[in-house]
Amino acid sequence: MGRKFSEHEKEYIRKRLLETGKNMFSTYGLKKTSIGDLTKSVGIAQGTFYLFFKSKEELYFEILEIEEERVRKSLLSEHFISEELTRARFKQFLKQAVSIVETNPIFRQIYEEDVLEHLMRKLPPEKWEKHMIKDFNMSLPLISHWQKEGRMVDLDPELIVSMIRSLILLTLQKKIIGEQLYQPTIELFIQFIADGLVKKEDLRHD
């Protein structure tokens, strides 16, 4: 039988697995990182890993959710919490979101088609469904707030979230779009989204 860990030890090991996983997945990628690599770095037996996560894909997915939450809070607090929503501010928010996806290795991998398909095969469908619902529910209050204040057009909030996701997915098409046209295409798409969703200041009601 394996040794029993105290609650403090469990908390420490879980934290180390998350930290080590983030570093290794960012450096080597999901597919090239093995459970043996992770446990060796943390200093635990491979069997101990399964006390915390069912697979390396599950560990990766939890790291992804933590990263998404961290970035979401940072972006929203920087652009919207204490200031009025404007088209210019919303454009800057979208540009920064695209930049994060393009440069953050964890996000970059999840939006690469082969890694996404790999995760979808390995993880239970209900985990993905829960993730999508959580993502939408976290965006809904802010979108509803902007709509009630007359700052954003009165569209289905789920459609608005989908439009923003479509911008992120467009970053996968850089090779197809072409190096010279990619950046102007992204910028034009951002402009269309911001102009289409955020009302002009002189058209807002009190």
Side-chain angles (χ1 to χ4, degrees):
M1 292 180 63
R3 60 162 292 194
K4 291 184 178 181
F5 297 100
S6 67
E7 290 304 314
H8 176 74
E9 287 175 320
K10 288 179 181 178
E11 183 179 343
Y12 173 77
I13 293 172
R14 183 179 181 82
K15 181 180 178 182
R16 288 283 291 122
L17 283 170
L18 289 168
E19 292 172 345
T20 302
K22 180 181 176 180
N23 291 334
M24 286 192 151
F25 292 144
S26 297
T27 303
Y28 306 111
L30 172 63
K31 292 184 178 180
K32 292 183 179 179
T33 300
S34 68
I35 290 177
D37 295 329
L38 293 164
T39 55
K40 182 178 180 181
S41 180
V42 174
I44 59 175
Q46 286 196 40
T48 302
F49 176 90
Y50 297 100
L51 297 176
F52 299 89
F53 300 96
K54 294 179 180 178
S55 65
K56 66 176 183 178
E57 287 80 13
E58 187 176 275
L59 171 62
Y60 185 97
F61 195 77
E62 183 161 332
I63 292 168
L64 172 68
E65 291 196 308
I66 292 171
E67 281 291 284
E68 283 186 344
E69 177 67 11
R70 179 185 65 80
V71 170
R72 183 185 289 109
K73 286 182 178 179
S74 175
L75 283 173
L76 293 180
S77 63
E78 180 175 344
H79 292 282
F80 304 122
I81 296 302
S82 60
E83 300 183 55
E84 182 181 5
L85 176 68
T86 63
R87 286 183 174 180
R89 191 166 289 117
F90 196 63
K91 288 177 187 177
Q92 185 59 35
F93 163 76
L94 294 175
K95 286 180 180 179
Q96 195 165 341
V98 167
S99 176
I100 288 171
V101 171
E102 290 177 332
T103 58
N104 184 301
I106 296 294
F107 291 149
R108 185 71 256 165
Q109 288 176 53
I110 190 64
Y111 283 109
E112 288 177 356
E113 187 174 347
D114 58 338
V115 174
L116 182 59
E117 288 183 355
H118 177 78
L119 283 173
M120 292 184 75
R121 287 197 306 270
K122 293 288 186 177
L123 296 173
E126 56 268 21
K127 187 174 283 288
W128 282 104
E129 291 173 11
K130 185 178 179 180
H131 176 76
M132 297 296 285
I133 292 171
K134 178 183 176 182
D135 189 40
F136 172 69
N137 287 342
M138 293 187 73
S139 305
L140 180 59
L142 190 57
I143 292 172
S144 298
H145 172 70
W146 289 333
Q147 289 177 329
K148 287 178 181 178
E149 291 198 343
R151 301 178 186 181
M152 185 168 278
V153 296
D154 190 22
L155 290 175
D156 182 348
E158 191 168 358
L159 177 59
I160 292 174
V161 173
S162 179
M163 290 177 67
I164 296 172
R165 283 196 189 123
S166 69
L167 169 65
I168 300 303
L169 291 173
L170 186 62
T171 65
L172 298 178
Q173 308 304 320
K174 188 171 185 177
K175 290 183 180 179
I176 296 175
I177 295 171
E179 193 72 32
Q180 291 185 328
L181 290 176
Y182 172 75
Q183 195 58 42
T185 300
I186 290 290
E187 291 178 1
L188 188 59
F189 203 70
I190 286 174
Q191 181 178 327
F192 285 159
I193 292 176
D195 290 350
L197 294 181
V198 181
K199 294 181 180 180
K200 282 186 175 181
E201 284 78 358
D202 57 353
L203 296 179
R204 297 175 183 177
H205 57 74
D206 294 329

